[in-house]
């Protein structure tokens, strides 16, 4: 199921469904989407899932274990991201948090398995990165385009 370019969609609530991932482009360019509530069954956010959701200000990621390429690129209203205690960025999947003009902080939880190149790019207001315990490895240019 894909809601790409759905210009009237403002909120998504996924509960009680056995959905394990948000597929590629699923909510891409839903420019009025403000809030997303994901059930505990949703574990993966795939490529471009929320790309261009310029009004997205709130999304719960507490059960997510995998984030992929361009997942939140252009989510310019999202200020804070809190990731769960174990998160895996799929290697060579880049620009997960890119062109996020309002992003101020990211809390990475307890363990990050890998930090690919260009994971965070062009987030001029980003002032806080919280790593609680362990990061297995950082790749070149994990953080780029920062001021």
């Amino acid at each position: 199921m894909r809601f790409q370019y759905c210009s009237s969609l403002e909120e998504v609530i996924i509960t009680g469904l056995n959905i394990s991932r948000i597929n590629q482009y699923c909510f891409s360019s839903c420019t009025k989407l403000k809030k997303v509530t994901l059930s505990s069954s949703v574990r993966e956010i795939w490529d471009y899932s929320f790309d261009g959701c310029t009004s997205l200000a709130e999304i719960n990621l507490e059960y997510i274990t995998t984030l992929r390429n361009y997942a939140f690129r252009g989510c310019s209203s999202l200020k804070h991201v809190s990731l769960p205690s174990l998160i895996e960025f799929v290697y060579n999947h880049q620009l997960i948090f890119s062109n996020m003009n309002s992003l101020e902080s990211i809390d990475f939880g307890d363990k990050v398995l890998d930090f690919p190149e260009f994971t965070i790019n062009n987030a001029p207001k980003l002032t806080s990165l919280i790593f609680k315990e362990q990061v297995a490895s950082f790749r070149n240019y994990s953080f780029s385009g920062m001021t």
Side-chain angles (χ1 to χ4, degrees):
M1 187 175 291
R2 194 183 277 183
F3 297 91
Q4 187 177 18
Y5 299 110
C6 184
S7 60
S8 61
L9 187 62
E10 294 185 16
E11 184 174 7
V12 172
I13 301 171
I14 299 174
T15 59
L17 300 173
N18 194 18
I19 295 174
S20 62
R21 70 176 179 242
I22 305 297
N23 283 328
Q24 291 177 322
Y25 299 97
C26 188
F27 298 103
S28 177
S29 298
C30 293
T31 56
K32 291 187 180 177
L33 181 60
K34 295 176 185 175
K35 182 178 179 181
V36 176
T37 304
L38 301 173
S39 73
S40 60
S41 67
V42 179
R43 300 294 181 164
E44 300 178 4
I45 295 180
W46 279 28
D47 309 77
Y48 304 92
S49 294
F50 296 97
D51 179 33
C53 292
T54 55
S55 297
L56 184 62
E58 186 179 342
I59 183 169
N60 70 310
L61 299 172
E62 62 192 287
Y63 301 107
I64 300 301
T65 58
T66 304
L67 290 173
R68 296 179 64 133
N69 202 27
Y70 300 99
F72 296 101
R73 181 179 67 170
C75 292
S76 54
S77 296
L78 197 58
K79 291 184 179 184
H80 307 285
V81 173
S82 183
L83 298 170
S85 51
L86 176 64
I87 189 74
E88 178 180 9
F89 298 107
V90 177
Y91 182 65
N92 280 338
H93 283 77
Q94 306 170 11
L95 299 167
I96 294 166
F97 302 105
S98 176
N99 297 336
M100 298 180 71
N101 297 332
S102 297
L103 186 63
E104 297 172 0
S105 68
I106 303 176
D107 181 342
F108 286 96
D110 295 336
K111 186 174 182 183
V112 178
L113 296 180
D114 189 15
F115 222 92
E117 295 172 336
F118 304 104
T119 299
I120 301 171
N121 175 265
N122 192 21
K125 293 185 179 178
L126 185 63
T127 57
S128 177
L129 293 170
I130 301 166
F131 298 96
K132 291 190 174 88
E133 298 245 346
Q134 174 183 356
V135 177
S137 66
F138 286 102
R139 307 250 179 228
N140 291 332
Y141 309 106
S142 291
F143 308 96
S144 65
M146 304 309 214
T147 54

